Amino acid sequence: MTETRADSQYRAIILATLVSFRKQTKSYKEAKPCCIFESLGEDRIAERANGNDSKKFKGEDKMDGAPSRVLHIRKLPGEVTETEVIALGLPFGKVTNILMLKGKNQAFLELATEEAAITMVNYYSAVTPHLRNQPIYIQYSNHKELKTDNTLNQRAQAVLQAVTAVQTANTPLSGTTVSESAVTPAQSPVLRIIIDNMYYPVTLDVLHQIFSKFGAVLKIITFTKNNQFQALLQYGDPVNAQQAKLALDGQNIYNACCTLRIDFSKLVNLNVKYNNDKSRDYTRPDLPSGDGQPALDPAIAAAFAKETSLLGLPVAAVPGALSPLAIPNAAAAAAAAAAGRVGMPGVSAGGNTVLLVSNLNEEMVTPQSLFTLFGVYGDVQRVKILYNKKDSALIQMADGNQSQLAMNHLNGQKMYGKIIRVTLSKHQTVQLPREGLDDQGLTKDFGNSPLHRFKKPGSKNFQNIFPPSATLHLSNIPPSVAEEDLRTLFANTGGTVKAFKFFQRDHKMALLQMATVEEAIQALIDLHNYNLGENHHLRVSFSKSTI
């Protein structure tokens, strides 16, 4: 791969930094980190973790400070994840094993080579590492190899495998010399961020609050490109940028929406002209506010334009990563929580999971049709069409965030020819009819329905929630079903099929465009879970794409 000018500049910066570190020590192999603590109790911990008897480790405390590819990490924050600990070692080489001791706020990290471990320890001797704004301490372990019981360490091993897959996909440079293994040139301190499924505003302050958990954020520039909200964010240290990317890529800022797509930028420095709600240089509080339109510096714009590789589907979320992201400061998220419509993580929306839907077509509507339509935005638990007012219904969702998503997307849409109104109900639950009482099928319990889209944690359905649109996404199509079959099927719902396209690489999926959004809603209600034969039930959802 040809090295870009920015890559070359960044390589020079890294080499200069490491040369500076080398001058501060007699040699990398002989130097002892200034952050080493006395290894009190470490041999007992490792002895238990490695499953070896005490005789084997007797007297190993005499090896204190001797280089080893196993590192002992102490003073970890209580809530830290395996992902964050692994990220500490990634810039220096391959991480081959990890053991978390959360009860003791400690961990053991094994690197592929002793030289990589030496480089890591010496780097963090000069630059105190932080996790979640708390300093941590790294020292050589007394043990040369980390032998863990994988049956007791399954979670950490799963995270390590996922991270290794990500690291392999990024094709970092490998090697044993300092110049090659310290930090890969492709990893800049500047991150490029794209927000997908942005149904609520994401502000510069919200981004700063989220990304500051991984280190000091120096500069942020936000802008819109290709009709998507994007940002460039610069850390003071590329290690922080790598930690943030590893932990946040593919995560949701709010439940079921505002998904972060993160990649390294080829830029190594941002030139911010103004401090306002679109851009900020936290190192230059004296900058003017400008006219509120901080156009990108021409050099940055030109460099960014060359970055043609748009972020696609996310790498599978690393187990233990944050999802959705907690934003503890409600004030910073106030702009995004406009009108109280944003469901904040961990907080049900006012405890209210029940929606009141009115102005329904009482001649056509059924509990099943409401379940199918509202099920696009959450797992519907119960539906009750009111006995004395059959143009209204109560719908109970699985949680308050889902009820708010459904209200936000379906209020004002046309269903069976009538514009429906969706509001939060004063009821906390939908009551089932008393046993033996016939309510004419107006109430139905869907709590155990196999058609719930969001029951499985981490389901891809969370990343594909879109407003009602004329274009529908079809999936689970058997090989024997042709385009004409599907066109005819959807035309029979009473609408007009305007366009159709199979996915090029996967004919199990297709896009189909109806003439209007109302027709698409009708088709989804009628045909989601339709039996196409060969044990294939059609899956239908709204798409953000057009044909």
Side-chain angles (χ1 to χ4, degrees):
M1 183 181 292
T2 304
E3 185 175 66
T4 66
R5 181 180 178 185
D7 290 341
S8 178
Q9 291 173 342
Y10 186 58
R11 180 189 287 274
I13 293 170
I14 292 299
L15 291 178
T17 304
L18 292 172
V19 168
S20 174
F21 290 163
R22 173 172 280 178
K23 288 179 179 178
Q24 295 173 25
T25 60
K26 291 182 179 179
S27 75
Y28 272 101
K29 290 190 176 181
E30 295 176 0
K32 291 186 179 181
C34 60
C35 57
I36 288 182
F37 275 21
E38 183 183 359
S39 186
L40 179 62
E42 185 235 359
D43 52 334
R44 286 203 307 265
I45 295 168
E47 171 189 333
R48 218 172 138 189
N50 284 274
N52 295 313
D53 57 51
S54 58
K55 291 182 181 180
K56 182 173 180 179
F57 289 92
K58 192 172 184 179
E60 282 202 1
D61 54 348
K62 294 178 182 178
M63 295 170 59
D64 184 35
S68 165
R69 67 189 183 100
V70 180
L71 300 178
H72 184 202
I73 305 173
R74 310 173 64 142
K75 302 292 184 181
L76 290 169
E79 68 278 12
V80 76
T81 66
E82 289 90 343
T83 304
E84 293 169 273
V85 175
I86 292 170
L88 291 169
L90 288 181
F92 306 94
K94 183 178 180 181
V95 176
T96 53
N97 209 347
I98 181 175
L99 176 69
M100 296 287 289
L101 303 168
K102 292 194 173 183
K104 298 179 179 293
N105 299 101
Q106 300 181 24
F108 289 88
L109 196 68
E110 179 187 271
L111 277 75
T113 67
E114 188 174 292
E115 290 194 0
I118 291 170
T119 304
M120 177 174 169
V121 169
N122 286 328
Y123 176 80
Y124 287 128
S125 298
V127 181
T128 302
H130 286 71
L131 283 180
R132 305 201 176 205
N133 294 323
Q134 179 177 318
I136 61 171
Y137 303 92
I138 300 175
Q139 65 187 68
Y140 297 118
S141 168
N142 289 344
H143 311 298
K144 297 296 184 182
E145 185 179 2
L146 188 58
K147 297 178 181 177
T148 55
D149 184 344
N150 288 346
T151 60
L152 301 176
N153 200 33
Q154 288 180 343
R155 173 187 168 86
Q157 292 302 311
V159 175
L160 183 61
Q161 289 175 15
V163 171
T164 301
V166 174
Q167 191 180 25
T168 302
N170 287 337
T171 59
L173 297 180
S174 60
T176 56
T177 66
V178 172
S179 62
E180 290 176 338
S181 65
V183 181
T184 65
Q187 292 168 356
S188 161
V190 178
L191 295 176
R192 178 181 51 172
I193 303 161
I194 297 176
I195 310 290
D196 277 348
N197 302 344
M198 198 172 110
Y199 299 128
Y200 308 114
V202 175
T203 66
L204 183 147
D205 290 328
V206 167
L207 289 176
H208 182 263
Q209 187 168 8
I210 292 170
F211 283 82
S212 289
K213 294 179 180 180
F214 301 91
V217 175
L218 303 186
K219 304 170 185 178
I220 304 177
I221 297 174
T222 65
F223 53 96
T224 300
K225 183 183 172 104
N226 298 330
N227 294 320
Q228 283 187 305
F229 178 83
Q230 304 190 23
L232 294 169
L233 183 145
Q234 181 179 341
Y235 280 103
D237 189 329
V239 173
N240 299 138
Q242 183 160 13
Q243 291 171 340
K245 180 183 183 300
L246 189 64
L248 299 178
D249 187 26
Q251 303 302 322
N252 296 326
I253 297 176
Y254 302 113
N255 277 2
C257 65
C258 299
T259 307
L260 292 165
R261 304 279 181 247
I262 305 172
D263 202 357
F264 291 105
S265 171
K266 293 178 182 177
L267 306 171
V268 295
N269 186 52
L270 300 179
N271 184 9
V272 177
K273 293 183 175 182
Y274 308 112
N275 282 340
N276 51 37
D277 62 343
K278 302 294 184 184
S279 64
R280 198 77 51 84
D281 185 338
Y282 296 94
T283 68
R284 293 280 311 279
D286 57 313
L287 287 178
S289 61
D291 58 1
Q293 301 297 326
L296 285 176
D297 179 84
I300 292 179
F304 189 81
K306 293 177 182 178
E307 298 184 37
T308 56
S309 58
L310 294 176
L311 296 172
L313 294 174
V315 175
V318 179
L322 307 172
S323 181
L325 303 174
I327 300 181
N329 186 345
R341 292 178 298 167
V342 174
M344 298 302 291
V347 181
S348 62
N352 202 331
T353 62
V354 180
L355 296 169
L356 173 63
V357 187
S358 57
N359 202 41
L360 294 165
N361 184 331
E362 58 185 271
E363 302 297 326
M364 302 285 292
V365 73
T366 64
Q368 183 66 45
S369 63
L370 291 170
F371 166 79
T372 302
L373 179 57
F374 280 75
V376 173
Y377 300 105
D379 292 337
V380 176
Q381 303 300 300
R382 295 176 180 177
V383 177
K384 177 190 285 290
I385 296 175
L386 302 186
Y387 186 82
N388 294 322
K389 191 172 172 48
K390 292 186 174 62
D391 68 345
S392 299
L394 295 174
I395 301 177
Q396 182 176 336
M397 309 295 288
D399 62 46
N401 291 319
Q402 293 182 4
S403 64
Q404 288 191 358
L405 271 176
M407 179 176 67
N408 187 46
H409 290 308
L410 294 177
N411 182 44
Q413 295 292 341
K414 267 192 174 183
M415 180 182 182
Y416 296 127
K418 300 189 73 174
I419 297 175
I420 64 174
R421 301 299 175 199
V422 186
T423 60
L424 292 174
S425 169
K426 63 181 180 181
H427 297 282
Q428 298 302 306
T429 59
V430 171
Q431 297 295 329
L432 296 175
R434 291 192 299 272
E435 190 173 349
L437 181 66
D438 180 16
D439 77 337
Q440 302 177 7
L442 298 176
T443 304
K444 190 163 183 181
D445 187 352
F446 295 96
N448 295 319
S449 173
L451 298 181
H452 285 155
R453 297 177 188 248
F454 308 102
K455 184 179 294 184
K456 184 179 178 181
S459 168
K460 286 185 178 179
N461 291 332
F462 282 108
Q463 300 169 16
N464 294 294
I465 298 175
F466 304 110
S469 63
T471 305
L472 297 170
H473 179 275
L474 315 182
S475 61
N476 205 33
I477 303 169
S480 61
V481 174
E483 174 181 337
E484 192 56 40
D485 299 325
L486 291 168
R487 281 180 173 270
T488 302
L489 183 66
F490 277 79
N492 287 339
T493 64
T496 302
V497 177
K498 302 287 286 186
F500 181 94
K501 182 175 71 174
F502 272 115
F503 279 49
Q504 187 173 357
R505 295 183 180 180
D506 188 356
H507 274 221
K508 293 179 182 178
M509 296 190 290
L511 294 176
L512 182 144
Q513 186 176 331
M514 304 296 290
T516 66
V517 174
E518 182 184 2
E519 289 183 4
I521 289 175
Q522 182 66 54
L524 182 144
I525 291 172
D526 290 349
L527 296 176
H528 178 63
N529 201 45
Y530 183 86
N531 190 352
L532 293 172
E534 302 177 38
N535 200 28
H536 283 67
H537 287 76
L538 184 65
R539 299 287 179 258
V540 185
S541 57
F542 298 115
S543 173
K544 67 175 180 179
S545 304
T546 55
I547 304 175

